Amino acid sequence: MAISVGIPRGLLYYEFYPLWEEFLETLGVRVVVSPPTNKAIVDLGVKSCVDEVCLPVKVFMGHAAYLDGRVDALFVPRVVSVERRSFICPKMMGLPDMVRARLQCKSRVIDTCVDRSRGDFPFAGNLLRLGREFGAGPYETIRAFRRGLRRMGCEAQPAEVLSEADEAATGQVRVGVLGHPYNLKDAFVSMNLLDKLRTLGARPVTADDYPAPEVVRWARKGRKRLFWTLAEKLLGAAVRWIETSEVDGIVYLTSFGCGPESFVAELVSREASRHSGMPFLLLNIDEHTGEAGLITRLEAFMDTAGWRAGTR
């Protein structure tokens, strides 16, 4: 019988799940994913963490707690860096330790280190060790990883959406929405922010709607480089929107307690007011955030952005 490995539906799940699923299943592993986030899962995570931890980590811990004991092993990679000279949030580097310390796990924790900051050679060694855990040799492991990369590439094909869709968007307020994928793509955490904006007459676009090299070029345009991979992508999209005015306003969804976001959000806010007076709305959420207040703020923002776009 195939070993079952649980993947918590949180944090970098929203970036790398196609890769991880294809890789593990090719090696003969049965992959189990936790259900979409709900209040019970958030409550599990809150009970597992100290108060100072940010909401996305609490949500991840809730998903890990849900899977613990239901699967043979939890897949919680220690992600340090996914590209040269850039890093992921330190809390993600420590996730395996947090899961072991706070959950007292019944399932084994697989904590392969992903660190490409100094090249691919150390990462390749960790990958081969991971393959051996499932009885796979070097050839099978590399073949499975390549299949995962191909699938991830097929499922993540952003396009230059605004230029093509502007015609269809006539009469709509174009809103750039910033936020880490694990916040924006989690409907419970974001309280369906994108759908709420559409209901209010907006056409939202996100940083994921552009090819990654494109937004990185904008982020590095005459500025000191950011060393957080996800933050640099968000900053690049914001700089593009501000300098081209291809959106009528920017909404930035951040989570309370996030260090990188507190820095980048302030930077985007200053750039927006300095260069174009572009409407900017900062939404800072945690597990206590109410939906009614969110809607009120979005309605006020849409009025302002609508005046700027000439649709109000």
Side-chain angles (χ1 to χ4, degrees):
M1 186 175 178
I3 183 175
S4 59
V5 172
I7 298 181
R9 193 187 294 262
L11 294 175
L12 295 180
Y13 161 88
Y14 292 97
E15 292 281 299
F16 298 111
Y17 176 68
L19 166 61
W20 293 335
E21 183 190 45
E22 188 70 33
F23 172 73
L24 293 170
E25 287 189 344
T26 302
L27 294 181
V29 173
R30 183 169 67 88
V31 174
V32 179
V33 183
S34 54
T37 305
N38 53 47
K39 187 175 185 310
I41 285 178
V42 173
D43 288 344
L44 271 177
V46 170
K47 289 177 184 173
S48 306
C49 296
V50 295
D51 292 342
E52 290 76 11
V53 172
C54 66
L55 177 60
V57 171
K58 290 174 181 171
V59 171
F60 182 91
M61 292 292 284
H63 283 282
Y66 174 88
L67 290 170
D68 185 31
R70 289 182 163 95
V71 293
D72 297 316
L74 292 171
F75 187 64
V76 189
R78 188 185 305 280
V79 183
V80 177
S81 167
V82 295
E83 60 181 339
R84 284 177 177 269
R85 299 181 60 209
S86 290
F87 296 90
I88 299 294
C89 170
K91 288 173 184 170
M92 297 191 202
M93 300 178 196
L95 268 184
D97 303 317
M98 293 174 67
V99 168
R100 287 194 181 96
R102 304 300 298 187
L103 299 185
Q104 303 293 313
C105 294
K106 303 178 189 71
S107 304
R108 183 164 60 97
V109 176
I110 298 175
D111 62 350
T112 301
C113 183
V114 179
D115 183 1
R116 299 184 62 198
S117 61
R118 296 181 180 178
D120 289 337
F121 187 74
F123 170 63
N126 292 333
L127 192 66
L128 294 180
R129 275 190 287 276
L130 175 61
R132 284 200 294 271
E133 290 200 37
F134 303 116
Y139 173 77
E140 291 84 1
T141 302
I142 291 172
R143 183 173 69 94
F145 189 68
R146 285 178 174 168
R147 286 187 59 164
L149 287 176
R150 280 198 296 273
R151 181 174 157 193
M152 190 169 74
C154 290
E155 294 189 11
Q157 293 186 353
E160 292 282 353
V161 292
L162 276 181
S163 57
E164 295 177 359
D166 270 352
E167 294 180 9
T170 301
Q172 288 186 311
V173 179
R174 299 164 301 177
V175 176
V177 184
L178 296 173
H180 286 152
Y182 44 77
N183 285 333
L184 281 183
K185 294 180 181 178
D186 188 319
F188 187 87
V189 169
S190 71
M191 291 176 279
N192 287 309
L193 173 62
L194 297 177
D195 285 343
K196 283 184 170 60
L197 283 168
R198 293 187 185 101
T199 301
L200 293 171
R203 179 176 182 276
V205 292
T206 70
D208 281 342
D209 291 327
Y210 304 96
E214 163 75 16
V215 288
V216 168
R217 274 198 299 274
W218 280 96
R220 297 177 184 176
K221 196 176 177 183
R223 294 169 176 80
K224 187 176 180 181
R225 182 182 178 188
L226 286 179
F227 297 103
W228 302 301
T229 296
L230 299 181
E232 186 174 50
K233 195 173 176 182
L234 300 183
L235 180 62
V239 171
R240 170 179 173 142
W241 293 334
I242 291 167
E243 295 198 8
T244 64
S245 295
E246 64 187 27
V247 300
D248 303 305
I250 297 175
V251 175
Y252 197 152
L253 182 72
T254 70
S255 47
F256 179 78
C258 178
E261 279 185 330
S262 65
F263 174 79
V264 177
E266 177 66 20
L267 199 57
V268 173
S269 174
R270 290 188 185 189
E271 291 283 324
S273 61
R274 182 180 305 156
H275 289 289
S276 59
M278 180 174 289
F280 177 78
L281 173 63
L282 179 65
L283 298 171
N284 199 340
I285 58 170
D286 63 12
E287 61 271 28
H288 305 296
T289 301
E291 192 168 359
L294 177 76
I295 293 173
T296 301
R297 296 188 67 192
L298 288 178
E299 288 173 343
F301 168 82
M302 284 298 296
D303 280 342
T304 306
W307 288 331
R308 189 176 192 274
T311 62
R312 293 288 193 276

